[in-house]
Amino acid sequence: LATLFALLSNAQSQNVLQFPRLLQERNDLWTTVIQNNHSHISGLSSSIQLFSFDVFLDAVGANRGDSLSPECQEDIAALISALLGKFEYPEFAEQVWFPMHDSSGKIHQAILKGHIYFAGHFSECVEIDTKLTGRDRPFRADYFKIEVDILFRSNAKNGSCEVTDAGQVLGWSLGICLPASCSSEELESLLSVDSAKHNPICAVYRTNDHIENRSVGFYVTISVLGVVFTLCALSGIADFFLSDSLSDKPVSASLIWRLFIAFSLYSNVASIFDTSGATKEGQIWPIHCMRFFSMCWVVLGHLTVEMSGVIANPLDVFERTQDLITVFILNAFFAVDTFFFIGGLLLAFLWQTMDSRFNVQPFLRFKNYIRNPKQTNSPGAWLMFYVHRILRLSPPYYMTVLFCAFVWNQFFRDSPFSLNLVVPAISNNCRDTWWLEFTYMQNIFKTDYQCLPVSWYLATDIQIFLFTPLLILPLACKPLLGFAVAVVIFSISSGLNIFLVYHYHWPASLMFIGGSDPEMTNFNNYDLYMYCSPIIRCQVYIIGMLVGWFLQSKKRMRINPIINVILWITSVVLMLTVILDLHSQTTGHLIPIFWRAMYSVFSKPVWALALSWIIISCYYGYGGPINSFMSWHIFWSACFEISFGKVDMLFLGGHRMGVTTTEENSIKIISSKDLDNQEEAVHVKMRM
């Protein structure tokens, strides 16, 4: 029973990757609770309506003493008199008592469906500010949240008011409107003593209790952001009105002017929505479409699992997981693999660095390696290979971390969201582990205290990127050697994957709904060892790199129409198979461990192979109407023009001037029409 309420009440504070498992456990435990305590809960419901604003006042009245401040004692006394039907002030009933009673949360419908949080009405409560006849001090109300024991047992009883590791009470949560003159500390202290009255109240929180005061970090972060936005605005104005007139003046060529104009809001916004490059020859057109649908899939998956932590009938959501169509939402994890695939594909297709003199030189490195291996392998070239990636990602990412650490929680001040433990948890984690986020190691160390849980992708991608030369160089020297290296790394990754599934009896994927292995252990480290691990995730990345090398190495290719159709059908069947293959698990069937291991190892590579044929067929002009649909640049490219790479350029001075070198988010693709002279380049923006 305690575990159940831990799942229900702490759903919002968990890593989103663990939500499927939480939903599964919540359903099983809540069903057990209803079966074992149905008569008890029904009796309480009929006798005292479980819990209410009146019950709270009754408990406070039974424990009143000198621990309350004079103002709080006076206001509480007026409320208790009203509870007994005696109104000390003529305005009290209409302007204080009824609004406070009405705005307080009440346990009511859908408790058998997992409804445990009854918020009441925040704005109605905080609007109470009434001057009472015969009293100098107005009566003000504020919004509180109270935690009530699971089975409404007295808080003095052994076993009641259990607390989770996160510090939250295992029980019901209600929003209560109380006098603003009272603090949560004095009320909680008052209610923690033994009482003859039934007192199931375990904890009391007040609005803004968890919101810290603005610190130096807040003002520093706001100042930096203000300077950047001001610079963007001023630069945009200068760019719009002065650029043409100064174009032939010496000042336009000066470094200071070029750096200043790089922040231009006007030019950067135009660059963000510029889709002209999407129509040029030589693009891998389906990438835009893949990115669009993959991101929509990610958002839908996150929204679905997050929703279960806030809706009033989460167990109805669980019932929906057994529907075949719902498996497409639960298996949104393949959208992440699509991004890993695209990352490897573009990296190999555009192996692009700087030369030893640190001048920007975009060209096809696989061809250039044969022509000039010394320059391609110079220390400066490989140094900039890494520096470009770090500099491209870090500024906007670091600012996001600082924003979450010092500014983000202030947006919840004076709102009911300030009572959500997720808000202080994220800010506290950011203040404690910001340095770890800056090193891109948050997916390995202190994984339970991540500042931005979703940033695991950036960390994993960076870690894979660090070792990509192990595959790039062999492919450039001797392709067979490169394929051998890929097979070795792939085999190590697969072997480790199989070992983890067998050793810990882990599920086939993170879609942990339905039948579960009773021998499963250490699932809390699934993210660390499996889901976020670069050695596990590198399989899809490697396949993407091999496809990118293939596209770059072979300018044209003829494909037999029959083979093309067969491979298209095979790709679609494989994609549907890996998505729907776990449907039997959602209905309660326990998949044997052998097949769990096989699915865990091969589902992602199979997905990547299906994507590979889509890319290859469309790139060489055999995609037919599917290629036309996926190459609809006006929509796909425009929808994702505001990507990580382009927005960071807007906010951090990244206006394209001349040739740009980026490996990931806004990279140049050399047109196949001009592979030899390397004169024309087009942009493909890739979202991380």
Side-chain angles (χ1 to χ4, degrees), residues 554-625:
K554 198 171 184 63
K555 291 191 293 184
R556 296 177 181 84
M557 186 175 72
R558 295 185 62 85
I559 303 175
N560 184 285
I562 297 178
I563 295 177
N564 184 44
V565 172
I566 292 175
L567 289 178
W568 268 101
I569 295 175
T570 302
S571 297
V572 173
V573 170
L574 288 176
M575 297 178 83
L576 291 176
T577 299
V578 296
I579 293 175
L580 301 176
D581 207 30
L582 297 182
H583 178 248
S584 62
Q585 177 180 283
T586 64
T587 60
H589 174 70
L590 176 60
I591 301 175
I593 192 168
F594 172 79
W595 294 113
R596 296 206 304 269
M598 293 301 99
Y599 184 91
S600 180
V601 171
F602 295 114
S603 60
K604 295 178 179 62
V606 165
W607 180 265
L609 289 175
L611 294 178
S612 299
W613 180 250
I614 294 175
I615 292 292
I616 292 172
S617 181
C618 291
Y619 183 77
Y620 292 113
Y622 293 90

Side-chain angles (χ1 to χ4, degrees), residues 153-217:
R153 298 165 295 189
S154 174
N155 58 27
K157 185 177 180 179
N158 292 335
S160 64
C161 295
E162 296 181 61
V163 179
T164 68
D165 294 336
Q168 189 166 358
V169 174
L170 302 178
W172 309 84
S173 298
L174 296 93
I176 296 290
C177 191
L178 295 172
S181 57
C182 301
S183 68
S184 58
E185 292 82 2
E186 60 184 339
L187 288 175
E188 186 169 329
S189 176
L190 172 71
L191 295 168
S192 64
V193 300
D194 293 340
S195 171
K197 283 280 188 178
H198 179 72
N199 178 15
I201 302 163
C202 303
V204 181
Y205 306 101
R206 183 177 177 176
T207 303
N208 298 332
D209 272 356
H210 301 308
I211 304 296
E212 295 186 0
N213 294 328
R214 297 181 180 91
S215 62
V216 175

